[in-house]
Amino acid sequence: MSERSPARQGLTGIGLADPRRRAVAVSVAAAFLMLGGKLTAYVLTGSAAIFSDAMESVVHLLATIFVGFSLWYSFQPPDTGHPYGHGKIAYFSSGFEGALILIAGIAIVVTAVDDLIRGPSLSRLDLGLAMIGALAVVNLLLGVYLIRTGKRYNNLVLISNGEHVLTDMWTSFGVLLGILLVRLTGLSWLDPAVAIVVAVNIMFAGGRLVRQSVRGLMERADDGYTRSILDVLETARQEGIISNYHQVRHRRVHDQLWVEYHLLFPVDLSITRAHDLSHLVEDRIAAGFDDDVYVTAHLEPDHHDDAHPDGHAEPIDPLRNVDLR
């Protein structure tokens, strides 16, 4: 087995000094700020568009709290019940966040349609514009910070949270546009109309997070990862490092990549030499990814069929016929 995981060593003993945990703490604090600021702006203005923005912030606060728990839980080391670790919770976190966004979008549409029917009652729009504008800038900076930190550590939890923050930011800019149009034209119905447009936009964002969650939970293989792994194995075969390979599989669990395959070697090669060559291949595979990479190789003689008794059945080999061109 080959493993590269310098980023995870000692992680469970690290507090806010760890950049990932610090990013979550900043995100939670900002979520409280956003919620308080937007609810205040809604109370002052009565704007359905600002209400839509505030509802999105309620969702974001709940999601961010769950993100903090998910990040902590994903850092827990493997145990007897979870030998592959606890990283799968990242996909639950992403799906939970997406589902909350969808619910918020529906609530916004209901409120906005009611305002369209009854007619909105707006006041103090200049103050609302200033408050929402300032909060949107904060969200822009926060979203970029979270996504950069998440990509640096290959952390889906932080990336999803950062994307949600940027969705909140675009929601705020949409609200600003709506309020500005109302301020300039005097057409108050534009306020709930903009709220509906904002709701549709954030529901698309929620749907994207849910799809991302489903892909992770269903262990959908990444085509780029497949090609990278098979390229290394094929190159090793052409260089004569291995005789052949088969039964290639890989799965990504949050920021960990698990790879397994069977390697074939000449029947007269010593097990020590075959083991050394196997590690050479493993190191090449691990070097191609930023994830923590765990490789399990099964070594076999190149006269593979002769080495197994009659009736020996192997699992389906789903990546055997992948086109590397």
Side-chain angles (χ1 to χ4, degrees):
M1 172 179 284
S2 174
E3 179 264 324
R4 301 167 67 242
S5 56
R8 298 182 66 86
Q9 293 176 0
L11 196 55
T12 55
I14 296 176
L16 290 181
D18 182 84
R20 288 156 288 189
R21 292 184 175 177
R22 185 165 60 246
V24 171
V26 171
S27 184
V28 170
F32 276 105
L33 172 66
M34 292 296 139
L35 179 57
K38 291 176 183 179
L39 285 177
T40 301
Y42 168 63
V43 170
L44 292 173
T45 63
S47 166
I50 291 180
F51 173 76
S52 71
D53 206 5
M55 282 296 298
E56 213 281 333
S57 290
V58 172
V59 168
H60 181 62
L61 176 59
L62 294 174
T64 301
I65 292 172
F66 188 69
V67 161
F69 168 75
S70 299
L71 192 66
W72 168 81
Y73 189 75
S74 69
F75 288 163
Q76 303 310 301
D79 54 37
T80 55
H82 305 86
Y84 284 94
H86 301 79
K88 282 285 186 180
I89 196 172
Y91 303 114
F92 284 107
S93 175
S94 178
F96 176 75
E97 197 161 0
L100 287 179
I101 292 174
L102 291 172
I103 293 171
I106 294 171
I108 293 166
V109 169
V110 171
T111 302
V113 169
D114 183 63
D115 269 7
L116 279 174
I117 294 172
R118 295 190 306 167
S121 176
L122 305 175
S123 63
R124 307 180 73 175
L125 293 182
D126 290 341
L127 180 58
L129 276 169
M131 294 179 67
I132 296 300
L135 294 173
V137 172
V138 172
N139 264 342
L140 172 62
L141 298 175
L142 176 63
V144 171
Y145 163 63
L146 290 173
I147 290 176
R148 284 184 176 177
T149 304
K151 288 184 176 179
R152 178 183 176 189
Y153 292 96
N154 227 357
N155 192 290
L156 177 62
V157 173
L158 290 180
I159 293 172
S160 296
N161 193 233
E163 289 176 348
H164 190 174
V165 169
L166 291 183
T167 298
D168 195 14
M169 180 269 296
W170 285 115
T171 300
S172 296
F173 280 133
V175 168
L176 282 173
L177 176 61
I179 295 176
L180 187 60
L181 288 174
V182 172
R183 185 77 174 78
L184 294 175
T185 66
L187 299 175
S188 59
W189 61 265
L190 286 173
D191 180 69
V194 167
I196 292 174
V197 173
V198 166
V200 171
N201 177 63
I202 69 172
M203 283 192 285
F204 272 111
R208 184 175 65 251
L209 287 176
V210 170
R211 288 194 301 273
Q212 180 175 277
S213 173
V214 171
R215 284 198 298 268
L217 291 172
M218 294 301 294
E219 297 189 337
R220 180 182 176 88
D222 183 280
D223 291 340
Y225 283 26
T226 297
R227 289 181 177 277
S228 179
I229 294 167
L230 292 180
D231 279 342
V232 170
L233 293 173
E234 183 60 24
T235 299
R237 187 189 67 80
Q238 292 175 4
E239 292 176 354
I241 297 174
I242 60 176
S243 298
N244 213 332
Y245 59 90
H246 61 183
Q247 294 296 337
V248 181
R249 285 172 172 77
H250 64 87
R251 65 168 68 177
R252 186 168 184 232
V253 180
H254 192 201
D255 55 354
Q256 300 175 352
L257 179 64
W258 296 80
V259 184
E260 59 182 82
Y261 45 65
H262 296 187
L263 298 183
L264 278 64
F265 293 94
V267 68
D268 57 350
L269 194 68
S270 71
I271 187 62
T272 300
R273 180 57 178 162
H275 178 266
D276 291 341
L277 293 175
S278 173
H279 265 287
L280 175 62
V281 176
E282 292 168 13
D283 289 341
R284 288 184 181 182
I285 287 176
F289 299 97
D290 293 328
D291 305 83
D292 299 340
V293 181
Y294 300 82
V295 179
T296 301
H298 176 65
L299 311 187
E300 298 179 332
D302 52 12
H303 299 301
H304 175 262
D305 293 339
D306 296 338
H308 290 293
D310 292 340
H312 173 78
E314 291 222 271
I316 295 173
D317 196 352
L319 302 183
R320 174 181 288 276
N321 298 316
V322 172
D323 187 358
L324 294 178
R325 290 177 297 176

